């Protein structure tokens, strides 16, 4: 077995995971069992069934029902927020005030002023790492495309087409989630926004237009949300992006992006196949599709956790090597909020 890099040796980074819902359970298991240099020291959830799950699935972390109590735990170095999006900003601020490093799931906040407040607090604590979980940056195919663009393979990239499309959930989990999710653009397209800015060299957005439709889930109407949304984003210097988000795919999670440059183009995940098995039968020749975002990005969630821990232990606070910075996440919320406003008003929005 290869020796761990120096930065991963020594005392582990003691992490407290906050929120053990759909995604928090996955993060907790990664941190407990698959991330070198980390130890899962504590978990926090207000729900009995989630704490019961933690007792059976995790290596006996300390349990908290109250986030403030976890922040008082001096034997926690970093918090891992996997809580509802509307709570993120305040929870990050509280973590930084308590002297903890923070990993927080996307989006940074649904509210731009809240994002700005987090950045102000973080600027006063430059010794603490604060990263937002745009895990596509850690997917091997997205990373390969990024490296090829940096190497000049497609010339100057000027256009991204990107989509986040989920398998239809007839139970309507996301309809119940709609009051707190921020809507399809801040919940789903925010990933594509981050990918587009990352691959196009971090341009600022100038103007956006968004529209959408309710194809299947009428319950979304009362929240002003849609289950299929499309958008155009104009960046400075003539760079462009188009986005598509859907909650109603019949075939699975179909997430991918294309980058078009002056000397070529790259397509990432165009065929959302589950694996390399091709089925030939009376229906034709086909692949099975990745069922959920987690099946598609399982490795990326692990690599982002490994990168965060390596960055903190290596002292590279705020380095991009550990993922999207707070400033990147603020820009993603700025654009996502403008898309939501455009959807609501039917007008283009100038930023
Ligand atoms: N990166 C991705 O692709 C991706 C995918 C899914 C979800 N997410 C993000 O992850 C976050 C959580 O999503 P989810 O699907 O796991 O939601 P969920 O509703 O399944 O889980 C939320 C968790 O937060 C806990 N919680 C609620 N209030 C709390 C509080 N005050 N203190 C501590 N814990 C509290 C709940 O008990 C629950 O465990 C959201 O911000 C979402 O945007 C990201």
């Amino acid at each position: 077995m290869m020796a761990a890099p120096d930065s991963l040796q020594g005392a582990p980074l003691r992490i407290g995971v906050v929120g053990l819902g759909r995604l928090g359970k996955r993060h907790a298991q990664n941190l407990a069992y698959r991330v070198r240099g980390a130890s899962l020291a504590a978990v926090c959830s207000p729900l009995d069934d989630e704490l019961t799950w933690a007792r059976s699935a995790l290596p006996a972390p300390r349990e908290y029902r109250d986030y403030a109590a976890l922040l008082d735990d001096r034997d926690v170095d970093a918090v891992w927020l996997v809580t509802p999006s509307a709570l993120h900003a305040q929870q990050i601020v509280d973590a930084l005030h308590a002297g903890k490093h923070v990993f927080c799931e996307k989006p940074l906040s649904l509210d731009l002023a809240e994002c700005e407040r987090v950045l102000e607090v973080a600027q006063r604590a430059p010794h603490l790492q604060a990263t937002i979980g745009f895990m596509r940056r850690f997917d091997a195919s997205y990373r390969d495309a990024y490296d090829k663009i940096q190497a000049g393979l497609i010339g100057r990239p000027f256009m991204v087409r990107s989509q986040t499309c989920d398998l239809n959930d007839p139970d309507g989990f996301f309809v119940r989630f709609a009051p707190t999710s921020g809507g399809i653009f801040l919940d789903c397209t925010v990933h594509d926004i981050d990918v587009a800015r990352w691959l196009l060299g971090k341009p600022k957005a100038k103007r956006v237009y968004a529209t959408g439709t309710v194809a299947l889930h009428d319950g979304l109407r009362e929240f002003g949300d849609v289950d299929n949304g499309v958008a155009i984003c104009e960046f400075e210097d003539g760079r462009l992006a188009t986005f598509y988000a859907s909650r109603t795919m019949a075939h699975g999670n179909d997430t991918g992006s294309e980058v078009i440059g002056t000397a070529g183009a790259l397509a990432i995940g165009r065929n959302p196949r589950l694996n390399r098995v091709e089925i030939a039968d009376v229906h034709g020749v086909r692949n099975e599709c990745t069922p959920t975002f987690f099946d598609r990005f399982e490795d990326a969630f692990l690599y982002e956790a490994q990168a965060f821990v390596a960055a903190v232990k290596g002292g590279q606070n705020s380095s991009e090597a550990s993922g999207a910075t707070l400033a990147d996440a603020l820009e993603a919320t700025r654009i996502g909020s403008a898309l939501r406003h455009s959807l609501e008003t039917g007008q283009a929005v100038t930023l």
Side-chain angles (χ1 to χ4, degrees):
M1 195 202 252
M2 279 173 57
D6 285 349
S7 63
L8 292 180
Q9 291 171 356
L13 185 72
R14 298 163 302 179
I15 297 175
V17 172
V18 186
L20 294 172
R22 192 172 58 138
L23 190 56
K25 289 186 175 73
R26 305 292 199 153
H27 277 296
Q29 286 178 312
N30 276 345
L31 292 165
Y33 301 116
R34 300 174 75 193
V35 178
R36 214 179 239 194
S39 82
L40 183 67
V43 292
C44 173
S45 166
L47 301 180
D48 285 339
D49 60 336
E50 292 181 356
L51 293 175
T52 303
W53 171 86
R55 265 167 240 142
S56 66
L58 301 173
R62 291 185 290 287
E63 291 174 15
Y64 296 98
R65 287 172 186 280
D66 179 25
Y67 180 52
L70 180 141
L71 291 180
D72 284 342
D73 186 335
R74 294 166 66 97
D75 294 323
V76 168
D77 306 309
V79 295
W80 210 269
L81 299 172
V82 203
T83 49
S85 301
L87 303 182
H88 291 174
Q90 187 60 49
Q91 289 182 329
I92 296 172
V93 166
D94 291 344
L96 293 172
H97 281 150
K100 316 280 190 203
H101 303 281
V102 192
F103 173 94
C104 179
E105 259 305 334
K106 49 54 66 176
L108 166 53
S109 173
L110 305 173
D111 180 86
L112 193 56
E114 286 283 276
C115 293
E116 285 163 352
R117 190 165 69 92
V118 175
L119 262 77
E120 275 169 31
V121 173
Q123 272 159 11
R124 294 200 291 273
H127 57 293
L128 297 174
Q129 179 79 37
T131 299
I132 302 300
F134 286 109
M135 78 299 180
R136 278 182 212 176
R137 293 178 181 225
F138 293 92
D139 173 73
S141 301
Y142 275 94
R143 172 58 59 175
D144 186 46
Y146 177 83
D147 290 343
K148 286 182 165 52
I149 292 167
Q150 297 305 305
L153 195 92
I154 62 166
R156 179 175 56 82
F158 61 87
M159 164 95 192
V160 163
R161 290 197 293 207
S162 193
Q163 70 177 42
T164 300
C165 295
D166 280 323
L167 179 66
N168 184 46
D169 170 11
D171 294 338
F173 169 81
F174 62 88
V175 179
R176 293 193 295 283
F177 192 54
T180 55
S181 73
I184 199 165
F185 293 119
L186 277 164
D187 188 33
C188 301
T189 303
V190 74
H191 280 294
D192 303 289
I193 296 168
D194 183 65
V195 158
R197 290 191 63 257
W198 180 55
L199 297 177
L200 289 174
K202 293 194 166 209
K204 282 237 176 210
K206 283 178 16 187
R207 191 161 59 140
V208 300
Y209 175 71
T211 186
T213 189
V214 173
L216 285 176
H217 296 275
D218 284 326
L220 290 173
R221 291 183 201 280
E222 71 174 281
F223 306 108
D225 202 4
V226 293
D227 56 22
N228 282 260
V230 293
I232 299 173
C233 179
E234 296 172 48
F235 292 106
E236 58 194 0
D237 303 333
R239 283 167 280 182
L240 287 171
T242 61
F243 304 124
Y244 172 45
S246 175
R247 312 264 201 191
T248 63
M249 291 290 108
H251 58 296
N253 179 278
D254 189 346
T255 289
S257 308
E258 286 174 67
V259 197
I260 297 135
T262 51
L266 300 169
I268 308 153
R270 180 145 59 195
N271 178 347
R273 63 188 185 190
L274 177 64
N275 55 34
R276 289 162 200 246
V277 177
E278 200 171 80
I279 304 164
D281 61 13
V282 292
H283 301 294
V285 182
R286 60 202 158 83
N287 300 108
E288 287 175 339
C289 183
T290 45
T292 70
F293 73 90
F294 195 81
D295 301 293
R296 168 65 183 85
F297 289 108
E298 181 170 1
D299 288 345
F301 282 107
L302 176 62
Y303 299 153
E304 76 175 351
Q306 291 171 336
F308 180 93
V309 171
V312 173
K313 291 186 60 97
Q316 310 161 353
N317 298 345
S318 301
S319 144
E320 270 203 34
S322 63
T325 64
L326 294 175
D328 292 328
L330 178 145
E331 286 307 318
T333 292
R334 187 198 308 279
I335 298 169
S337 301
L339 295 179
R340 183 175 176 129
H341 188 57
S342 178
L343 174 72
E344 284 164 359
T345 60
Q347 303 295 316
V349 174
T350 302
L351 287 104

